[in-house]
Amino acid sequence: MDGRVILRLEQLFGKERVLTNQTDLMTYSYDASFATQLEPKEPEIVVIPQSTEEISACVKLANEYQVPLYPRGAGTAQTGGPVPVMGGIVMDLSRMNRILEIDHKNMQAIIEPGVVQANLNNALKEYGLFFPPDPGSAKMCTIGGMVANNSSGLRAVKYGNTRFYVLGLEVVLPTGDVIVTGGSKSKALKSVSGYDLAHLMVGSEGTLGIITKLRLKVLPLPSRRGIVLCSFSKLEQAGEAVNELFRSGILPSALEIMDQQCTKAANLMRPQLALPENEALLVIEADGSKEEVASQVKRITEVISKFTDYVKFSDEPEECQQLWQARQIVGAATGRLKPGGFRVYGGEDICVPLSRLPETLRKIHEIARSYNIVCAIYGHIGDGNLHTSPVINRRDKEEIENAKKMIEDIHRLAIEMEGTTTAEHGVGIVRAQYMEIEHGTALEVMKAIKRTLDPNNILNPGKMALPV
Amino acid sequence: MKQLTTVESMYSCVRCGACREACPTLSITGREADGPRGRVLMARNLIEGVIPVNDEIKEQLDRCLLCSACVDACPVDVAVPDIVMMAKEKISEVRPQEGVTGIVGKWVFRKLLPFPKRLQKLGHLLWIYQKSGLQMVVRKLRVLKLLSESLQQMERAMPEILPPSRRNPHPLFTPSDRKDLKGSSHSAPRAALFQGCIMDMMFRSTNENTIRFLAQSGFDVVTPGQQVCCGALHTHNGEKDTALELAKRNIEVFEQANVDYIVSNAGGCGAMLREYEELFRDDPEWLPRARQFCQKVKDVSEVAVQKGTIPQAAGQGERITYQPSCHLQYVMGVKDAPKKILRSVADAQYVELPEAGYCCGSAGIYNLLQEQMANDILDKKMGNVAKTRANVIVTANPGCLLQMKMGIERAGMQGSVEAVHIVDYIVEAMERNKQSQTAEDQEELQKQSV
Ligand SMILES: Cc1cc2nc3c(=O)[nH]c(=O)nc-3n(C[C@H](O)[C@H](O)[C@H](O)COP(=O)(O)OP(=O)(O)OC[C@H]3O[C@@H](n4cnc5c(N)ncnc54)[C@H](O)[C@@H]3O)c2cc1C
């Protein structure tokens, strides 16, 4: 690295916010992906900006010296997305975390990119509002990262993903120029004026611009929720039950499946749950006013009862919390399936058509068995999104190699099932190799967009199969 | 006992980041190395020998408060403080602490803290310092200016030491105040006071108040005289052998006391006592005894809420807020009991402290070693205290208490805000309540006689 770069950055940010220590660099070599556990990649410099002006100046400097620059939020991605695979500068945006305005009269919030999802929702609660996209990482991920990855969560089945809530963005382009998408002065809730650049940025994973300010749409916070928990001896029955729910005109706010290994893991962690260890457990949530919830829970229960005898339900807050527990702890619980187990984040985000879900689940288990790997699967059965959770011994080299092969097989399976390798987590480095099969010539258009906006290939290079 | 060993737990971190928002130091600087994930990786790389022992890594790891907020937030209980300690042990193996700090440290850990009598003597000296006018002279001459800012503030925040004449051993037995049991064949549950080493020297009256509080709450209180320091400072400073000896001694002493509960009024000590089981993990002879000991250990507010009654107490219209002790909330898992007690006080308004989950920056002697970071943390804390507009900050651990007193000084809130230990606050309010009750009773009597 050119010594002048460090000097210029220190002039720009002040010494405190330019990190070059070996240990500091080491801690920016990873995100939550398994891939970067195995192969961490260190940056040469880390900067911690506090304003759009600083960011713009920094991007210009990166262009001047031809140094790659990687935006990073909380580093909770499971894709290697924020990791500096080609060396250069990591820009940690988590400190730009001010909520600038909650404009409750206009049902929107204006925030900096480093605001953590849960913190925004805490602030919104006071106004009886909420920002619906709810990834499992809501307590720690930044909303800048959520927009960059177009994240979503349990409630996507009803509320959709982050995309739906982005009204406008302030973006520092890869050249350092600053634009505002969605109308530079607009506070409108709908606009079709011009190319939809805001949504070009959504899901661009930090390759097309650095998001520095966000104008987000928010919704009225439902006052209650109800939960139905049901167990099926056969996966196929669970699939049919979900189908029947939709056909009966019911749209739950969450529709989750846990397989046998998951219920086993949850029971290991909290024996008092005493869940039946059948092939499938569904946890279904309805939200709305007290009356709406009560009637929905009743209707869901009626439909489900046609397929199984094991149905529990409630619309009382405390009981709901009880019923919800299984789903809440499953992510952490899977590690218990093996003493000293390490849960691998890999092949963790495929999505298949609803009609092929049971078949896919069975095939994933076959793959796991062929590599002799303990594996649990849970996911959003409402939209066909499965979170596979292989559990290995982190220090067993052979098991690591097998896990890698298994991840590859699961991704291929998703494509074979007319699905996708990633429903919400993103591509980054871990799924770049499937971009061509998934997109064909559309990938060429993506590359052309990238070249146009980022002629020097400065922003987040080496990701998403874009040119390097 | 913890499910995983420290090494196992070090390899179970999947770096999901659930700890990020819980970490006080990360909230100050935003540097990943100031957060739990970064620390686990740095520690691991050091332990595995991927990076050498040098000043840089030492400084990075020394910035951890060891507050355990991250463990509480971690879905798989990665024991970050244990992992950091393990790395620090490796550092001190390679480069034993040299110079005055090293020698003084060893002396304090091996020759002072384990011996209650010596501590009492130190207490005498401090008392002489405060009472002889020397303190005034020192303050006037500005000798303290030679010390760091934090030390000066700490000197000012130090509690008034009781004179030697008032520091006799606590009564071995104090009967419960429960009226309904008097004359009945049922006996009150027996609680032993764990008096602590520094606690008993510097916060003597808090221990006395704890006995009063427990008796009022319905316990027969025993205070075994042979008990010793819990060993927390030793464990945190790589003096494991001394810690083990102290633990064995305490286990024996409290077995003989034949009690239902062993009650601590300092989160830091209580957490250490609960860890005795972990300490004897590989010692089949002591493990069962340690386990039994641990099961009896309770914090004073916890035992009152769960096993006793909350004594009636009355404030005088003040606003109170509560700064939890990290060891109490994260290691002992006592989160609600102190709040429950505070909410029950009549004629006082309890307000939640925003971001109360963050450590106050005291963390043992952290505030002396990491002055800048500790002050940044404290200033942020005091900003939150100001938001509550409380007049009283209640704490549950002597270290936190001193730190909050320092914070009040730093923020210039003297006169409008005071910091107190929860037991001292409640006992005063309890007594106020009793007095007003007697006054009312007398009024009533007078009315009747008229
Ligand atoms: C336990 C766990 C559960 C999860 N559950 C879910 C889930 O249910 N649903 C889901 O969708 N995801 C989930 N994730 C994945 C991840 O948390 C999300 O993708 C999250 O939105 C990433 O946010 P972040 O702040 O951590 O971003 P980072 O990981 O730091 O970055 C992610 C990407 O965004 C880019 N980026 C970050 N900030 C900006 C910015 N301001 N401007 C431009 N680019 C930027 C980075 O370059 C990178 O490519 C989960 C992760 C974990 C560890």
Side-chain angles (χ1 to χ4, degrees):
Chain A
M1 172 74 53
D2 193 327
R4 281 169 304 176
V5 177
I6 300 183
L7 213 66
R8 296 268 307 270
L9 287 172
E10 284 179 348
Q11 281 165 1
L12 181 58
F13 293 102
K15 278 200 159 109
E16 292 249 301
R17 292 189 284 125
V18 178
L19 315 178
T20 50
N21 272 344
Q22 185 200 14
T23 42
D24 272 309
L25 300 178
M26 181 185 298
T27 59
Y28 284 91
S29 65
Y30 55 76
D31 57 5
S33 63
F34 185 52
T36 59
Q37 279 262 354
L38 302 179
E39 282 176 67
K41 289 270 168 25
E42 290 181 11
E44 289 151 287
I45 308 175
V46 176
V47 294
I48 306 182
Q50 282 172 351
S51 71
T52 307
E53 292 72 35
E54 283 180 356
I55 295 173
S56 162
C58 180
V59 174
K60 285 185 179 148
L61 205 136
N63 273 281
E64 192 183 323
Y65 291 92
Q66 299 280 315
V67 183
L69 183 68
Y70 311 82
R72 177 182 175 100
T76 69
Q78 302 181 347
T79 61
V83 175
V85 286
M86 313 194 54
I89 308 169
V90 163
M91 180 178 272
D92 182 339
L93 292 147
S94 63
R95 298 301 284 169
M96 284 178 63
N97 57 2
R98 287 178 306 167
I99 296 173
L100 301 172
E101 186 187 353
I102 293 179
D103 184 354
H104 60 100
K105 288 198 181 124
N106 290 310
M107 301 297 282
Q108 51 196 278
I110 298 173
I111 63 165
E112 290 186 335
V115 173
V116 167
Q117 195 270 19
N119 294 347
L120 175 62
N121 272 323
N122 270 340
L124 286 169
K125 207 186 303 167
E126 216 176 291
Y127 300 89
L129 299 171
F130 83 127
F131 170 67
D134 61 335
S137 50
K139 273 195 190 145
M140 58 265 195
C141 73
T142 70
I143 299 183
M146 284 179 66
V147 171
N149 275 356
N150 193 12
S151 304
S152 55
L154 300 168
R155 298 187 174 90
V157 63
K158 177 167 176 182
Y159 293 103
N161 42 20
T162 303
R163 173 196 319 278
F164 294 100
Y165 302 91
V166 176
L167 296 170
L169 300 172
E170 179 187 84
V171 181
V172 175
L173 293 176
T175 50
D177 297 329
V178 183
I179 60 164
V180 177
T181 69
S184 60
K185 297 206 167 55
S186 167
K187 273 212 163 181
L189 282 167
K190 263 167 57 174
S191 167
V192 291
S193 166
Y195 281 167
D196 191 349
L197 295 183
H199 289 99
L200 178 63
M201 292 297 157
V202 174
S204 66
E205 300 193 13
T207 63
L208 297 182
I210 301 176
I211 300 157
T212 49
K213 206 191 277 181
L214 305 87
R215 187 163 70 91
L216 303 170
K217 177 175 154 146
V218 294
L219 293 185
L221 179 67
S223 59
R224 296 272 282 208
R225 65 175 192 159
I227 304 287
V228 180
L229 181 116
C230 40
S231 171
F232 302 84
S233 52
K234 286 271 163 270
L235 277 170
E236 286 72 13
Q237 290 169 333
E240 281 164 32
V242 167
N243 204 282
E244 180 76 12
L245 271 181
F246 286 145
R247 276 189 298 151
S248 319
I250 299 171
L251 183 59
S253 52
L255 193 37
E256 296 291 304
I257 183 167
M258 289 168 55
D259 75 353
Q260 201 162 19
Q261 291 294 325
C262 288
T263 41
K264 191 172 146 195
N267 283 339
L268 279 173
M269 193 160 174
R270 299 247 170 96
Q272 64 273 29
L273 287 177
L275 299 166
E277 292 175 18
N278 285 329
E279 274 194 6
L281 185 85
L282 294 189
V283 193
I284 308 167
E285 184 196 74
D287 69 355
S289 67
K290 193 164 191 268
E291 298 74 30
E292 281 164 353
V293 168
S295 96
Q296 278 203 62
V297 164
K298 186 160 165 278
R299 285 176 61 206
I300 295 172
T301 312
E302 279 164 13
V303 173
I304 295 293
S305 301
K306 293 187 212 158
F307 299 88
T308 172
D309 293 336
Y310 189 98
V311 188
K312 291 185 167 181
F313 60 91
S314 173
D315 55 3
E316 291 302 324
E318 266 184 27
E319 271 177 53
C320 282
Q321 193 52 39
Q322 286 294 318
L323 293 177
W324 187 247
Q325 264 192 50
R327 178 58 185 84
Q328 196 178 4
I329 63 167
V330 68
T334 51
R336 306 263 163 128
L337 288 170
K338 212 177 146 111
F342 177 93
R343 187 244 163 113
V344 172
Y345 286 127
E348 81 296 347
D349 191 36
I350 65 164
C351 191
V352 298
L354 300 185
S355 59
R356 306 193 76 169
L357 258 176
E359 185 188 353
T360 309
L361 276 155
R362 289 200 190 287
K363 289 209 160 138
I364 296 174
H365 278 300
E366 271 167 35
I367 294 172
R369 263 195 302 276
S370 74
Y371 291 111
N372 203 9
I373 285 182
V374 178
C375 163
I377 311 170
Y378 58 94
H380 318 310
I381 190 173
D383 43 39
N385 184 189
L386 293 178
H387 295 318
T388 306
S389 170
V391 183
I392 63 165
N393 181 333
R394 174 69 179 78
R395 283 178 288 172
D396 183 335
K397 294 230 164 64
E398 194 187 325
E399 229 175 10
I400 289 177
E401 285 314 307
N402 279 338
K404 284 199 216 159
K405 289 184 205 145
M406 173 174 162
I407 292 167
E408 167 83 24
D409 288 1
I410 292 174
H411 284 141
R412 301 263 166 215
L413 173 70
I415 296 166
E416 189 188 309
M417 294 283 140
E418 301 170 293
T420 174
T421 55
T422 178
E424 48 182 36
H425 294 175
V427 177
I429 52 173
V430 301
R431 287 179 271 265
Q433 67 268 42
Y434 313 110
M435 284 292 282
E436 203 172 333
I437 333 175
E438 284 206 43
H439 300 288
T441 46
L443 179 59
E444 293 311 311
V445 179
M446 294 185 206
K447 287 180 180 169
I449 295 173
K450 170 73 176 171
R451 271 193 294 267
T452 308
L453 290 182
D454 191 2
N456 293 326
N457 201 14
I458 293 296
L459 266 198
N460 212 357
K463 313 284 164 69
M464 294 174 83
L466 295 168
V468 287
Chain B
M1 204 163 49
K2 292 174 188 167
Q3 270 225 336
L4 304 177
T5 64
T6 306
V7 172
E8 278 169 348
S9 135
M10 182 167 86
Y11 288 102
S12 351
C13 173
V14 296
R15 301 188 189 143
C16 71
C19 48
R20 277 182 62 93
E21 289 297 295
C23 179
T25 51
L26 187 62
S27 86
I28 296 289
T29 67
R31 290 164 59 232
E32 182 78 20
D34 274 333
R37 283 193 301 190
R39 287 180 178 136
V40 171
L41 177 66
M42 290 188 294
R44 191 177 106 188
N45 278 344
L46 183 82
I47 291 164
E48 285 180 343
V50 176
I51 52 171
V53 173
N54 57 26
D55 286 342
E56 186 184 317
I57 181 76
K58 181 172 181 317
E59 270 161 35
Q60 294 275 32
L61 293 174
D62 279 346
R63 289 162 74 86
C64 177
L65 291 150
L66 305 172
C67 71
S68 293
C70 49
V71 189
D72 192 59
C74 178
V76 290
D77 305 332
V78 172
V80 183
D82 298 358
I83 296 167
V84 169
M85 280 313 302
M86 195 178 208
K88 283 178 146 188
E89 270 159 35
K90 173 153 179 189
I91 295 175
S92 54
E93 268 165 33
V94 178
R95 344 178 358 173
Q97 237 188 29
E98 306 123 13
V100 189
T101 2
I103 297 169
V104 173
K106 280 215 180 79
W107 182 80
V108 170
F109 294 132
R110 296 185 189 165
K111 302 281 183 225
L112 180 65
L113 296 180
F115 301 99
K117 286 217 180 91
R118 292 183 195 169
L119 271 165
Q120 288 302 335
K121 279 202 192 117
L122 179 66
H124 297 355
L125 287 177
L126 281 172
W127 177 74
I128 292 169
Y129 168 72
Q130 287 182 343
K131 293 294 146 173
S132 63
L134 189 60
Q135 183 173 43
M136 251 166 60
V137 175
V138 168
R139 282 184 183 172
K140 280 243 170 67
L141 286 179
R142 301 174 192 265
V143 176
L144 293 168
K145 280 269 160 358
L146 297 174
L147 303 176
S148 74
E149 196 194 352
S150 297
L151 268 175
Q152 292 174 46
Q153 278 162 350
M154 198 166 197
E155 195 271 348
R156 284 199 293 273
M158 222 163 61
E160 205 178 308
I161 309 277
L162 285 182
S165 58
R166 291 202 41 209
R167 277 188 285 126
N168 294 323
H170 298 285
L172 181 59
F173 183 77
T174 311
S176 143
D177 268 358
R178 270 179 66 182
K179 312 243 157 34
D180 57 322
L181 286 180
K182 295 222 165 100
S184 97
S185 60
H186 286 288
S187 57
R190 273 166 72 89
L193 170 69
F194 182 80
Q195 62 190 35
C197 55
I198 297 180
M199 187 81 198
D200 204 53
M201 173 189 80
M202 303 225 328
F203 297 90
R204 174 75 186 187
S205 52
T206 305
N207 274 348
E208 290 169 355
N209 280 337
T210 305
I211 296 176
R212 262 178 230 142
F213 174 78
L214 286 171
Q216 188 75 31
S217 173
F219 299 92
D220 284 342
V221 190
V222 188
T223 311
Q226 307 302 315
Q227 56 178 301
V228 289
C229 164
C230 64
L233 287 171
H234 303 84
T235 326
H236 288 169
N237 290 283
E239 295 275 329
K240 199 170 169 197
D241 291 343
T242 319
L244 281 172
E245 265 171 51
L246 292 169
K248 286 182 183 169
R249 180 68 184 276
N250 278 329
I251 293 174
E252 281 167 350
V253 168
F254 286 94
E255 276 172 355
Q256 280 158 19
N258 185 28
V259 290
D260 302 300
Y261 309 107
I262 301 163
V263 180
S264 126
N265 56 15
C269 304
M272 180 64 215
L273 298 178
R274 283 255 177 101
E275 297 232 323
Y276 279 7
E277 196 182 344
E278 191 67 32
L279 220 53
F280 293 104
R281 195 179 180 111
D282 303 317
D283 184 341
E285 188 195 327
W286 279 87
L287 185 59
R289 292 172 75 178
R291 182 170 297 149
Q292 225 179 16
F293 178 94
C294 290
Q295 279 161 359
K296 291 183 182 170
V297 174
K298 297 230 175 256
D299 180 68
V300 57
S301 50
E302 181 188 23
V303 82
V305 168
Q306 286 179 358
K307 310 286 174 186
T309 50
I310 303 178
Q312 284 189 347
Q316 15 187 17
E318 67 271 28
R319 275 171 87 87
I320 45 181
T321 192
Y322 170 62
Q323 165 59 38
S325 134
C326 296
H327 281 104
L328 184 60
Q329 62 175 338
Y330 299 130
V331 184
M332 295 185 80
V334 177
K335 291 182 177 166
D336 292 334
K339 296 185 196 175
K340 209 163 178 178
I341 294 179
L342 293 174
R343 282 208 189 89
S344 77
V345 178
D347 209 9
Q349 196 188 352
Y350 173 77
V351 244
E352 282 285 338
L353 179 65
E355 304 190 344
Y358 285 144
C359 174
C360 62
S362 152
I365 46 175
Y366 186 91
N367 49 7
L368 298 181
L369 303 177
Q370 299 286 331
E371 200 173 340
Q372 178 69 43
M373 179 69 92
N375 283 341
D376 288 348
I377 290 175
L378 183 56
D379 292 345
K380 190 170 165 196
K381 182 65 70 190
M382 298 320 288
N384 280 321
V385 168
K387 281 186 209 156
T388 65
R389 291 182 291 116
N391 328 94
V392 184
I393 314 169
V394 178
T395 61
N397 185 54
C400 312
L401 177 57
L402 278 181
Q403 182 78 348
M404 294 320 291
K405 286 190 171 181
M406 274 174 62
I408 291 172
E409 284 250 344
R410 277 183 73 80
M413 293 173 170
Q414 307 95 311
S416 56
V417 183
E418 60 169 337
V420 290
H421 190 285
I422 186 165
V423 168
D424 295 330
Y425 175 77
I426 291 294
V427 167
E428 197 184 319
M430 227 162 70
E431 249 125 57
R432 189 177 300 118
N433 182 65
K434 263 192 214 156
Q435 273 164 17
S436 70
Q437 295 254 304
T438 4
E440 267 173 41
D441 288 353
Q442 271 171 0
E443 235 169 73
E444 192 71 11
L445 273 178
Q446 264 175 2
K447 264 191 217 155
Q448 281 171 2
S449 60
V450 169

